[in-house]
PDB file of all heavy atoms in Angstrom:
ATOM      1  N   GLY A 182      -0.944   9.143  -8.552  1.00 98.00           N
ATOM      2  CA  GLY A 182      -0.731   9.858  -7.288  1.00 98.00           C
ATOM      3  C   GLY A 182      -1.169  11.306  -7.431  1.00 98.00           C
ATOM      4  O   GLY A 182      -1.698  11.717  -8.477  1.00 98.00           O
ATOM      5  N   ALA A 183      -0.938  12.081  -6.360  1.00 98.00           N
ATOM      6  CA  ALA A 183      -1.441  13.461  -6.362  1.00 98.00           C
ATOM      7  C   ALA A 183      -0.601  14.388  -7.236  1.00 98.00           C
ATOM      8  O   ALA A 183      -1.130  15.331  -7.819  1.00 98.00           O
ATOM      9  CB  ALA A 183      -1.504  13.998  -4.942  1.00 98.00           C
ATOM     10  N   THR A 184       0.686  14.138  -7.338  1.00 98.00           N
ATOM     11  CA  THR A 184       1.502  15.035  -8.172  1.00 98.00           C
ATOM     12  C   THR A 184       0.995  14.991  -9.609  1.00 98.00           C
ATOM     13  O   THR A 184       0.814  16.039 -10.247  1.00 98.00           O
ATOM     14  CB  THR A 184       2.990  14.635  -8.095  1.00 98.00           C
ATOM     15  OG1 THR A 184       3.409  14.737  -6.730  1.00 98.00           O
ATOM     16  CG2 THR A 184       3.858  15.542  -8.955  1.00 98.00           C
ATOM     17  N   HIS A 211       1.168  22.882  -1.849  1.00 98.00           N
ATOM     18  CA  HIS A 211       2.266  21.921  -2.016  1.00 98.00           C
ATOM     19  C   HIS A 211       2.998  22.223  -3.334  1.00 98.00           C
ATOM     20  O   HIS A 211       2.383  22.723  -4.279  1.00 98.00           O
ATOM     21  CB  HIS A 211       1.655  20.515  -2.053  1.00 98.00           C
ATOM     22  CG  HIS A 211       2.649  19.406  -2.002  1.00 98.00           C
ATOM     23  ND1 HIS A 211       3.264  18.908  -3.139  1.00 98.00           N
ATOM     24  CD2 HIS A 211       3.136  18.689  -0.965  1.00 98.00           C
ATOM     25  CE1 HIS A 211       4.074  17.925  -2.790  1.00 98.00           C
ATOM     26  NE2 HIS A 211       4.023  17.771  -1.475  1.00 98.00           N
ATOM     27  N   ALA A 213       3.599  20.366  -5.650  1.00 98.00           N
ATOM     28  CA  ALA A 213       2.904  19.709  -6.771  1.00 98.00           C
ATOM     29  C   ALA A 213       1.941  20.684  -7.442  1.00 98.00           C
ATOM     30  O   ALA A 213       1.661  20.561  -8.641  1.00 98.00           O
ATOM     31  CB  ALA A 213       2.133  18.484  -6.273  1.00 98.00           C
ATOM     32  N   MET A 257      -5.869  24.430  -1.487  1.00 98.00           N
ATOM     33  CA  MET A 257      -5.864  23.064  -0.955  1.00 98.00           C
ATOM     34  C   MET A 257      -6.904  22.900   0.152  1.00 98.00           C
ATOM     35  O   MET A 257      -7.392  23.897   0.705  1.00 98.00           O
ATOM     36  CB  MET A 257      -4.469  22.707  -0.436  1.00 98.00           C
ATOM     37  CG  MET A 257      -4.088  23.468   0.807  1.00 98.00           C
ATOM     38  SD  MET A 257      -2.302  23.547   1.205  1.00 98.00           S
ATOM     39  CE  MET A 257      -1.622  22.038   0.649  1.00 98.00           C
ATOM     40  N   ASN A 261      -0.244  20.226   4.290  1.00 98.00           N
ATOM     41  CA  ASN A 261       0.558  19.053   4.639  1.00 98.00           C
ATOM     42  C   ASN A 261       1.529  19.316   5.783  1.00 98.00           C
ATOM     43  O   ASN A 261       1.847  18.425   6.558  1.00 98.00           O
ATOM     44  CB  ASN A 261       1.320  18.555   3.402  1.00 98.00           C
ATOM     45  CG  ASN A 261       1.947  19.673   2.614  1.00 98.00           C
ATOM     46  OD1 ASN A 261       1.256  20.548   2.095  1.00 98.00           O
ATOM     47  ND2 ASN A 261       3.262  19.669   2.533  1.00 98.00           N
ATOM     48  N   ASP A 286      -6.611  20.714  -4.077  1.00 98.00           N
ATOM     49  CA  ASP A 286      -5.707  19.605  -3.777  1.00 98.00           C
ATOM     50  C   ASP A 286      -6.134  19.065  -2.411  1.00 98.00           C
ATOM     51  O   ASP A 286      -5.846  19.669  -1.376  1.00 98.00           O
ATOM     52  CB  ASP A 286      -4.268  20.125  -3.757  1.00 98.00           C
ATOM     53  CG  ASP A 286      -3.287  19.048  -3.301  1.00 98.00           C
ATOM     54  OD1 ASP A 286      -3.704  17.895  -3.091  1.00 98.00           O
ATOM     55  OD2 ASP A 286      -2.086  19.380  -3.150  1.00 98.00           O
ATOM     56  N   THR A 288      -5.330  16.209  -1.020  1.00 98.00           N
ATOM     57  CA  THR A 288      -4.468  15.074  -0.677  1.00 98.00           C
ATOM     58  C   THR A 288      -4.415  14.772   0.822  1.00 98.00           C
ATOM     59  O   THR A 288      -4.436  13.616   1.219  1.00 98.00           O
ATOM     60  CB  THR A 288      -3.035  15.340  -1.208  1.00 98.00           C
ATOM     61  OG1 THR A 288      -3.139  15.568  -2.612  1.00 98.00           O
ATOM     62  CG2 THR A 288      -2.113  14.182  -0.945  1.00 98.00           C
ATOM     63  N   GLN A 289      -4.340  15.810   1.654  1.00 98.00           N
ATOM     64  CA  GLN A 289      -4.170  15.537   3.090  1.00 98.00           C
ATOM     65  C   GLN A 289      -5.496  15.364   3.829  1.00 98.00           C
ATOM     66  O   GLN A 289      -5.506  14.907   4.968  1.00 98.00           O
ATOM     67  CB  GLN A 289      -3.350  16.651   3.752  1.00 98.00           C
ATOM     68  CG  GLN A 289      -1.892  16.695   3.297  1.00 98.00           C
ATOM     69  CD  GLN A 289      -1.059  15.499   3.797  1.00 98.00           C
ATOM     70  OE1 GLN A 289      -1.455  14.774   4.708  1.00 98.00           O
ATOM     71  NE2 GLN A 289       0.097  15.300   3.193  1.00 98.00           N
ATOM     72  N   SER A 308      -4.592  11.194  -3.153  1.00 98.00           N
ATOM     73  CA  SER A 308      -3.500  10.231  -3.311  1.00 98.00           C
ATOM     74  C   SER A 308      -3.624   9.122  -2.266  1.00 98.00           C
ATOM     75  O   SER A 308      -3.733   9.409  -1.067  1.00 98.00           O
ATOM     76  CB  SER A 308      -2.169  10.949  -3.122  1.00 98.00           C
ATOM     77  OG  SER A 308      -1.099  10.061  -3.284  1.00 98.00           O
ATOM     78  N   HIS A 310      -1.607   6.900  -0.892  1.00 98.00           N
ATOM     79  CA  HIS A 310      -0.637   6.572   0.167  1.00 98.00           C
ATOM     80  C   HIS A 310      -0.682   7.516   1.364  1.00 98.00           C
ATOM     81  O   HIS A 310      -0.011   7.286   2.371  1.00 98.00           O
ATOM     82  CB  HIS A 310       0.792   6.467  -0.395  1.00 98.00           C
ATOM     83  CG  HIS A 310       1.466   7.767  -0.695  1.00 98.00           C
ATOM     84  ND1 HIS A 310       2.488   8.249   0.078  1.00 98.00           N
ATOM     85  CD2 HIS A 310       1.293   8.674  -1.679  1.00 98.00           C
ATOM     86  CE1 HIS A 310       2.929   9.395  -0.435  1.00 98.00           C
ATOM     87  NE2 HIS A 310       2.213   9.666  -1.503  1.00 98.00           N
ATOM     88  N   LYS A 311      -1.506   8.559   1.271  1.00 98.00           N
ATOM     89  CA  LYS A 311      -1.638   9.436   2.436  1.00 98.00           C
ATOM     90  C   LYS A 311      -2.682   8.905   3.408  1.00 98.00           C
ATOM     91  O   LYS A 311      -2.798   9.393   4.520  1.00 98.00           O
ATOM     92  CB  LYS A 311      -2.026  10.853   1.999  1.00 98.00           C
ATOM     93  CG  LYS A 311      -1.075  11.494   1.012  1.00 98.00           C
ATOM     94  CD  LYS A 311       0.295  11.764   1.604  1.00 98.00           C
ATOM     95  CE  LYS A 311       1.167  12.487   0.578  1.00 98.00           C
ATOM     96  NZ  LYS A 311       2.484  12.799   1.091  1.00 98.00           N
TER      97      LYS A 311
HETATM   98  N1  LIG B 542      -0.319  17.548  -2.390  1.00 52.72           N
HETATM   99  C1  LIG B 542      -0.149  17.493  -1.055  1.00 52.72           C
HETATM  100  C2  LIG B 542      -0.908  18.447  -0.174  1.00 52.72           C
HETATM  101  C3  LIG B 542       0.735  16.574  -0.497  1.00 52.72           C
HETATM  102  O1  LIG B 542       0.906  16.530   0.832  1.00 52.72           O
HETATM  103  C4  LIG B 542       1.442  15.698  -1.365  1.00 52.72           C
HETATM  104  C5  LIG B 542       2.436  14.756  -0.813  1.00 52.72           C
HETATM  105  O2  LIG B 542       3.197  15.085   0.066  1.00 52.72           O
HETATM  106  C6  LIG B 542       1.218  15.772  -2.745  1.00 52.72           C
HETATM  107  C7  LIG B 542       0.321  16.711  -3.216  1.00 52.72           C
HETATM  108  C8  LIG B 542       1.919  14.842  -3.703  1.00 52.72           C
HETATM  109  O3  LIG B 542       1.418  13.555  -3.523  1.00 52.72           O
HETATM  110  P1  LIG B 542       2.029  12.241  -4.232  1.00 52.72           P
HETATM  111  O4  LIG B 542       3.099  11.753  -3.337  1.00 52.72           O
HETATM  112  O5  LIG B 542       0.883  11.282  -4.317  1.00 52.72           O
HETATM  113  O6  LIG B 542       2.491  12.636  -5.583  1.00 52.72           O
END
Side-chain angles (χ1 to χ4, degrees):
T184 300
H211 189 274
M257 69 199 327
N261 44 298
D286 174 5
T288 303
Q289 292 290 344
S308 181
H310 76 108
K311 303 294 183 179

